[in-house]
Amino acid sequence: MSLPPAIIAPSILACDFARLADEANAVTSCGAEWLHCDIMDGHFVPNISIGAPVVKALRKHTKAFLDCHLMVSDPARWIDDFKKAGADQFCFHIEAVDNPAEVIKQIHEAGMKAAIAVKPKTPVETVFPFLDDLDMVLVMTVEPGFGGQSFMPEQMPKVNALRKRKPSMYIQVDGGLAPDTIDAAAKAGANVIVAGSSIFGKPGQYSSVIQQLRESVERYLPEAAKQ
């Protein structure tokens, strides 16, 4: 059994947008493999953030894996736009679509990796029928829509259930992840860690925070996969 790697994905929602390229390059030079881009439409979630034009602009300044999390009402509508913008992964909410399998198919046909996200109140079993076709599952550990919320440890059984069902799966957690909450996520089996304010809110400490998050995943993931 091959375990997935520890991946740290700083959320650019928490960075200084006036210095987006500089901030992106700073965290990747400090060890982050992915950049997490939160896309909000003001409908599916009560906030508006960025869209494909910002991702396209960022793509010109980084070779990092661009992980796009679409908190939007009609995600399939935007697949082509994000492919053209340079997104590497397109993550949509299962709550926002009627036919997840078709959306996954369209994402793969566009040449991107496909992921599904689940809100805190959504049973994780809703994604089970699609696991063999997915590249990743995102378990939200806050209510989607705003940064800076507190980590919800009660979501960890979802992560654990996914890890037991598919030990090699990429499982992402997003919301409130920081050095004081990472162990719970890592022990449950998460390997892709989204962190916003806990990284970007610590200027001059990007490397140390990223390393703390990574070390926890590397320490606890092997045991989580055995459970």
Side-chain angles (χ1 to χ4, degrees), residues 154-208:
E154 62 270 26
Q155 298 303 310
M156 291 307 94
K158 293 181 181 179
V159 176
N160 190 247
L162 287 164
R163 182 59 65 207
K164 287 180 177 178
R165 196 171 187 92
K166 208 164 177 63
S168 62
M169 188 88 198
Y170 276 45
I171 304 172
Q172 184 178 74
V173 284
D174 179 5
L177 275 303
D180 63 341
T181 56
I182 181 59
D183 284 359
K187 288 176 180 178
N191 73 295
V192 184
I193 310 301
V194 176
S197 54
S198 66
I199 294 178
F200 287 112
K202 300 286 186 180
Q205 300 179 46
Y206 292 171
S207 290
S208 62

Side-chain angles (χ1 to χ4, degrees), residues 46-73:
N47 197 9
I48 295 173
S49 60
I50 62 171
V54 174
V55 173
K56 182 178 180 180
L58 179 59
R59 176 83 284 169
K60 297 175 184 177
H61 297 278
T62 181
K63 294 181 180 179
F65 185 96
L66 296 184
D67 170 37
C68 294
H69 172 201
L70 277 84
M71 291 166 270
V72 303
S73 295

Side-chain angles (χ1 to χ4, degrees), residues 50 64 74 85 99 105 109-110 121 123 131 153-154 184 209 219 226:
I50 62 171
D74 184 13
N99 189 344
K105 179 174 177 285
E109 287 176 347
K121 294 179 181 178
L131 292 182
E154 62 270 26
V209 176
R219 182 182 307 120
K226 294 178 184 177

Side-chain angles (χ1 to χ4, degrees), residues 75-181:
R77 172 184 175 187
W78 303 107
I79 291 172
D80 287 344
D81 283 15
F82 278 87
K83 170 57 180 176
K84 291 174 183 175
D88 293 293
Q89 180 162 266
F90 188 105
C91 179
F92 66 95
H93 272 265
I94 194 163
E95 304 90 351
V97 301
D98 294 324
N99 189 344
E102 179 59 27
V103 179
I104 294 167
K105 179 174 177 285
Q106 290 177 31
I107 294 168
H108 282 151
E109 287 176 347
M112 294 180 289
K113 292 186 180 298
I116 280 181
V118 292
K119 288 182 175 184
K121 294 179 181 178
T122 301
V124 72
E125 290 80 9
T126 59
V127 306
F128 285 178
F130 314 107
L131 292 182
D132 288 343
D133 296 318
L134 286 168
D135 297 289
M136 190 187 78
V137 174
L138 163 55
V139 174
M140 292 299 300
T141 49
V142 296
E143 287 293 338
F146 294 93
Q149 299 180 64
S150 296
F151 175 75
M152 299 170 69
E154 62 270 26
Q155 298 303 310
M156 291 307 94
K158 293 181 181 179
V159 176
N160 190 247
L162 287 164
R163 182 59 65 207
K164 287 180 177 178
R165 196 171 187 92
K166 208 164 177 63
S168 62
M169 188 88 198
Y170 276 45
I171 304 172
Q172 184 178 74
V173 284
D174 179 5
L177 275 303
D180 63 341
T181 56

